[in-house]
Amino acid sequence: MLGKGGKRKFDEHEDGLEGKVVSPTDGPSKVSYTLQRQTIFNISLMKLYNHRPLTEPSLQKTVLINNMLRRIQEELKQEGSLRPVFVTASQPADPLSDNFREAQPAFSHLASQPLLPTDFVSTMPLESCLTPASLLEDDTFCTSPTVQHDGPTKPPPPALQPVKDSFSSALDEIEELCPAPTSAEAVAAQTAADDSKDLPSESNVQKPEGLPESRTAESKLMDSLPGNFEITASTGFLTDLTLDDILFADIDTSMYDFDPCTSATGAASKMAPVSADELLKTLAPYSSQPVTPNQPFKMDLTELDHIMEVLVGS
Amino acid sequence: SHAADIISTVEFNHSGELLATGDKGGRVVIFQQAQENKTQSHSRGEYNVYSTFQSHEPEFDYLKSLEIEEKINKIRWLPQKNAAQFLLSTNDKTIKLWKISERDKRPEGYNLKEEDGRYRDPTTVTTLRVPVFRPMDLMVEASPRRIFANAHTYHINSISINSDYETYLSADDLRINLWHLEITDRSFNIVDIKPANMEELTEVITAAEFHPNSCNTFVYSSSKGTIRLCDMRASALCDRHSKLFEEPEDPSNRSFFSEIISSISDVKFSHSGRYMMTRDYLSVKIWDLNMENRPVETYQVHEYLRSKLCSLYENDCIFDKFECCWNGSDSIVMTGSYNNFFRMFDRNTKRDITLEASRENNKPRTVLKPRKVCASGKRKKDEISVDSLDFNKKILHTAWHPKENIIAVATTNNLYIFQDKMN
């Protein structure tokens, strides 16, 4: 069980805010609303996608978890530029399509591995971007002026758009933004797009499981779709958050100095040395600084992290 | 003990003489109250096993490649009309009507059969005699009389017998069907909340019950904390409710989990028919059927869990479906909690008590000691802190004798029967 709750940070505003803000009701005061929301979102996804019962899962439970996810997604949409890092766990609307089969392995690692909230908290650089719920009231927080993306102006893509398309278009836009990509980046992008099947799963989660894990998760997911209320029902909300939303101008690729000769074969194994821990080390300079809200690079940090895990995928 | 022994439902019959339990392994065990012992006037008869039978077997749905659990979700007794007893038992998909009858005599003295059943050689028969009934050891037989199948796509959560004693309803997540007890090949759909597009599904049916006196009226509760009262005379398909009971949300208690904890896990009419009780995750509410906008009474079962909802969501406890029950006079309501605790609320005195069903702490015939959970701050002696509660020890099913102060409380594997101290 969680430890006893301490005094919350914004006590003096408590009475006024509770009517407006859905306050966290759990845990120590330093767990912000945003972090708790992300934790709950992740737990919910895990519940929906990890579960492979022999009997039909409870429809009531599925509906309630689904509603939870939808509500959080609505909130995120309304808040505008808060990007959930785990958007990669989203499943395309049509899990039975071939596109799904191809795109799935690249993203299934987040769904297939049990993401304990503690793991999530410890590895996510989001810690450095904690936002007290009171500041969510402040509109100026929600802007990210330095990020060049289509963001709020772009209408949400149609629900049936396979993730792979948006991934490819995301990469296209990256190339547009960076007209002279390093060879490493081109290799990484190319390999990620074409050989996504071969990429062993990789993420900030401490367990870098290999390819079989994501394969199993994929087949598990396909098989576990309940007969009538399919998991597809829950994809309606997630496909709105596509990779298009997380593009930004600069990608720091300095740590990916790949030898172009190795790109053809064994690219996957060559990428392996770039582990989650090493990724974190590069981010450490950022996370060790106390971050105040409204710092523009805080949003970049989130997106940097995300884009790196997608591109590298070792 | 085995997982198949997990008790999944408990129900007294209309006289209280019989108590039925269903378990995860598809078995039904019926207990019978012993005749009152005239010499021991200070205690009522004990409950002993009367009959045990396998009600449901596991099945396999080949279309979906999924097992259909044999777990008994609900048992409901029919009122007794003759010497035999009848009950309905249901798993997720199929309802069965069982006849439980006693046999304490058997015919003896056949002409063509020996007593052990072997046939006699007809040529050796020289005289004729009339077989007579002789007493035998009591045998209780259960036989399935009706099987009501193939009417539910989703999981059955409730069955309820109508006050006309001819029809009954069965409810699953999205539909409620009306049956005639004599007819198994046909049922009428009276409620259907399935949306055309399943992606739009946000609410399911969680429980349903017929009104105890008015045979046209029933209620059903939802996962969003609403109760709808329907009148079958209004239309064939009761998609429009006559009344909608819903309490507005308390804004100061809003959280991520507000919807989940508002989901109603059980609904029960009072014996009088004037009130109904609902159980959601943290509370029990009493509703006056004439007032739709809020309950008339609310009792907190374990409010100290409100600050633990995230953990309870993570370990799935937040989805536990607690039941609730009335005593015979509708003055006390009872429901279960965690750590093998159960709670009683006296509606008249407004007092409540927490008791524990466990073998370690209670010897037979000792009075149960009240328990107290310490929510925060210094824990007093004999109090138990919230963090020490065992969330695997949950009491989901309780039942109250219709006439006397005898209660049945089911922990995971055990059934406890308590009675009040008679002076």
Side-chain angles (χ1 to χ4, degrees):
Chain A
M1 297 294 278
L2 295 181
K4 294 199 171 35
K7 197 156 110 91
R8 285 192 302 192
K9 251 173 146 179
F10 46 101
D11 261 0
E12 60 275 14
H13 303 303
E14 208 168 314
D15 293 340
L17 280 179
E18 273 188 338
K20 291 184 274 179
V21 174
V22 179
S23 324
T25 59
D26 206 357
S29 59
K30 53 185 184 296
V31 177
S32 79
Y33 174 87
T34 320
L35 187 60
Q36 191 195 28
R37 179 174 62 190
Q38 296 218 348
T39 305
I40 293 171
F41 193 96
N42 237 38
I43 295 172
S44 306
L45 278 179
M46 192 174 80
K47 283 185 186 303
L48 279 186
Y49 291 106
N50 256 7
H51 190 45
R52 211 238 167 180
L54 296 167
T55 58
E56 216 163 338
S58 154
L59 185 64
Q60 180 194 357
K61 196 167 146 192
T62 309
V63 165
L64 288 171
I65 297 170
N66 220 33
N67 291 352
M68 174 80 86
L69 289 165
R70 278 187 185 150
R71 240 175 301 146
I72 294 178
Q73 191 219 11
E74 266 312 305
E75 259 184 46
L76 293 167
K77 257 161 85 163
Q78 278 167 18
E79 285 164 11
S81 62
L82 270 181
R83 310 292 175 216
V85 183
F86 39 73
V87 69
T88 53
S90 68
Q91 308 304 326
D94 185 0
L96 300 176
S97 73
D98 288 339
N99 283 339
F100 174 82
R101 284 186 181 278
E102 286 167 13
Q104 170 68 351
F107 310 118
S108 66
H109 56 274
L110 279 180
S112 67
Q113 291 160 14
L115 284 169
L116 303 175
T118 48
D119 288 345
F120 185 79
V121 170
S122 61
T123 57
M124 279 310 175
L126 200 60
E127 272 187 288
S128 57
C129 326
L130 291 187
T131 311
S134 60
L135 292 170
L136 291 174
E137 302 287 293
D138 186 355
D139 285 343
T140 62
F141 166 72
C142 294
T143 59
S144 49
T146 62
V147 175
Q148 185 175 355
H149 60 85
D150 297 326
T153 57
K154 183 170 177 164
L160 287 176
Q161 181 183 9
V163 177
K164 189 181 179 210
D165 285 347
S166 56
F167 182 77
S168 311
S169 62
L171 291 169
D172 290 340
E173 288 191 58
I174 292 174
E175 286 175 38
E176 279 175 58
L177 296 168
C178 312
T182 63
S183 59
E185 183 193 348
V187 164
Q190 187 65 22
T191 314
D194 297 344
D195 301 325
S196 59
K197 272 190 199 176
D198 297 325
L199 285 179
S201 57
E202 187 272 338
S203 73
N204 280 340
V205 178
Q206 309 274 11
K207 284 200 292 171
E209 300 271 359
L211 180 60
E213 180 71 10
S214 44
R215 280 267 174 247
T216 315
E218 175 196 340
S219 55
K220 272 203 261 187
L221 180 69
M222 311 285 280
D223 295 342
S224 71
L225 295 176
N228 289 292
F229 183 62
E230 302 186 339
I231 304 295
T232 49
S234 62
T235 62
F237 61 91
L238 284 172
T239 51
D240 288 351
L241 303 164
T242 68
L243 290 170
D244 289 357
D245 293 339
I246 57 159
L247 297 176
F248 58 95
D250 301 308
I251 308 174
D252 178 7
T253 57
S254 57
M255 55 182 294
Y256 307 117
D257 291 331
F258 294 115
D259 184 347
C261 302
T262 66
S263 65
T265 57
S269 55
K270 278 295 175 187
M271 286 192 206
V274 182
S275 70
D277 289 336
E278 286 173 28
L279 268 177
L280 284 177
K281 282 186 197 138
T282 64
L283 298 172
Y286 298 114
S287 55
S288 61
Q289 295 169 9
V291 177
T292 63
N294 296 332
Q295 268 193 355
F297 73 74
K298 175 170 55 62
M299 298 315 300
D300 293 353
L301 184 64
T302 314
E303 290 151 13
L304 170 73
D305 172 68
H306 180 70
I307 218 24
M308 283 211 286
E309 90 195 20
V310 165
L311 291 177
V312 175
S314 65
Chain B
S1 44
H2 304 140
D5 292 340
I6 295 174
I7 296 169
S8 49
T9 186
V10 180
E11 187 83 354
F12 280 100
N13 76 338
H14 291 255
S15 66
E17 184 205 355
L18 299 176
L19 174 68
T21 63
D23 68 22
K24 196 158 183 264
R27 281 186 321 165
V28 171
V29 179
I30 302 177
F31 299 84
Q32 183 188 41
Q33 189 178 27
Q35 292 295 318
E36 266 183 48
N37 194 326
K38 301 272 188 311
T39 59
Q40 289 181 314
S41 57
H42 59 273
S43 80
R44 301 179 192 84
E46 287 191 352
Y47 282 83
N48 303 307
V49 177
Y50 175 70
S51 170
T52 302
F53 58 93
Q54 188 73 31
S55 170
H56 286 70
E57 299 277 2
E59 288 173 50
F60 197 77
D61 182 340
Y62 291 97
L63 203 59
K64 297 177 191 172
S65 252
L66 290 169
E67 278 182 21
I68 299 172
E69 274 191 290
E70 67 274 30
K71 172 169 72 84
I72 308 296
N73 293 336
K74 286 282 167 13
I75 289 174
R76 290 288 183 263
W77 290 91
L78 266 72
Q80 190 172 10
K81 280 194 284 195
N82 50 38
Q85 301 276 358
F86 289 86
L87 61 79
L88 286 175
S89 70
T90 185
N91 70 347
D92 284 338
K93 297 286 185 181
T94 305
I95 307 130
K96 295 188 183 181
L97 176 70
W98 288 88
K99 176 180 178 183
I100 297 105
S101 46
E102 291 183 1
R103 192 196 292 265
D104 61 358
K105 296 183 259 296
R106 66 156 182 238
E108 289 175 16
Y110 283 101
N111 292 293
L112 296 174
K113 268 199 299 194
E114 302 286 1
E115 294 308 326
D116 59 8
R118 281 180 306 145
Y119 280 95
R120 290 170 72 184
D121 179 359
T123 57
T124 65
V125 176
T126 53
T127 60
L128 285 179
R129 57 186 176 170
V130 176
V132 293
F133 278 98
R134 292 256 147 78
M136 60 177 259
D137 288 340
L138 178 66
M139 222 169 69
V140 180
E141 299 170 325
S143 60
R145 306 304 284 182
R146 305 270 187 277
I147 298 185
F148 305 91
N150 302 319
H152 285 281
T153 309
Y154 305 97
H155 291 175
I156 296 173
N157 52 57
S158 312
I159 46 175
S160 178
I161 298 169
N162 203 350
S163 50
D164 63 8
Y165 302 141
E166 285 184 354
T167 56
Y168 74 95
L169 64 75
S170 57
D172 67 32
D173 295 306
L174 298 179
R175 297 194 177 100
I176 302 179
N177 294 330
L178 181 72
W179 303 82
H180 193 285
L181 282 163
E182 300 290 331
I183 300 167
T184 60
D185 60 357
R186 202 163 57 231
S187 73
F188 295 97
N189 178 244
I190 52 178
V191 173
D192 188 342
I193 65 167
K194 183 179 177 194
N197 180 5
M198 280 296 272
E199 286 210 15
E200 292 164 8
L201 180 65
T202 58
E203 189 174 11
V204 299
I205 296 169
T206 53
E209 192 176 62
F210 266 118
H211 190 276
N213 307 321
S214 166
C215 61
N216 309 292
T217 308
F218 67 93
V219 293
Y220 69 92
S221 59
S222 85
S223 56
K224 285 194 173 172
T226 65
I227 309 101
R228 287 171 173 81
L229 186 140
C230 300
D231 188 327
M232 294 195 292
R233 291 167 297 190
S235 68
L237 187 63
C238 297
D239 273 353
R240 296 185 47 127
H241 50 264
S242 303
K243 295 192 184 187
L244 174 67
F245 298 82
E246 188 174 13
E247 183 174 26
E249 191 186 359
D250 176 6
S252 65
N253 272 337
R254 254 190 83 206
S255 79
F256 288 108
F257 307 102
S258 291
E259 186 195 35
I260 297 182
I261 63 169
S262 77
S263 178
I264 291 171
S265 50
D266 194 16
V267 64
K268 291 262 171 55
F269 279 105
S270 63
H271 294 92
S272 65
R274 189 173 152 206
Y275 299 97
M276 67 178 174
M277 164 167 56
T278 57
R279 174 68 154 98
D280 50 71
Y281 190 61
L282 297 180
S283 69
V284 160
K285 295 178 180 169
I286 312 281
W287 304 77
D288 185 321
L289 293 188
N290 297 317
M291 187 157 70
E292 296 168 61
N293 59 352
R294 61 176 179 81
V296 289
E297 295 154 40
T298 301
Y299 302 102
Q300 300 302 333
V301 181
H302 36 220
E303 178 71 10
Y304 46 78
L305 295 183
R306 193 179 288 274
S307 59
K308 311 284 182 191
L309 292 178
C310 197
S311 307
L312 294 166
Y313 179 63
E314 200 197 344
N315 65 16
D316 274 356
C317 280
I318 209 174
F319 299 106
D320 286 337
K321 295 197 194 153
F322 292 95
E323 292 172 10
C324 53
C325 61
W326 300 83
N327 73 340
S329 59
D330 297 337
S331 60
I332 304 178
V333 295
M334 175 168 68
T335 188
S337 178
Y338 294 104
N339 210 68
N340 281 346
F341 288 170
F342 58 100
R343 304 262 284 137
M344 288 185 196
F345 302 93
D346 189 320
R347 298 177 62 212
N348 298 325
T349 66
K350 301 300 179 201
R351 282 165 51 185
D352 62 86
I353 190 169
T354 305
L355 299 169
E356 182 178 0
S358 82
R359 267 194 283 240
E360 293 105 39
N361 299 331
N362 303 298
K363 296 193 193 48
R365 308 220 177 283
T366 59
V367 175
L368 291 177
K369 199 173 108 179
R371 302 281 176 217
K372 185 121 167 56
V373 176
C374 167
S376 57
K378 262 180 90 66
R379 186 176 73 88
K380 300 191 190 65
K381 182 178 178 296
D382 280 352
E383 282 186 356
I384 178 165
S385 76
V386 181
D387 297 318
S388 321
L389 294 174
D390 187 342
F391 288 85
N392 292 318
K393 293 185 180 168
K394 49 192 90 173
I395 291 180
L396 304 174
H397 312 287
T398 60
W400 203 303
H401 191 290
K403 298 180 171 72
E404 301 175 31
N405 279 344
I406 302 174
I407 58 173
V409 173
T411 59
T412 309
N413 297 103
N414 296 304
L415 180 72
Y416 292 79
I417 299 177
F418 300 110
Q419 49 184 309
D420 68 350
K421 200 162 98 117
M422 289 173 77
N423 299 318

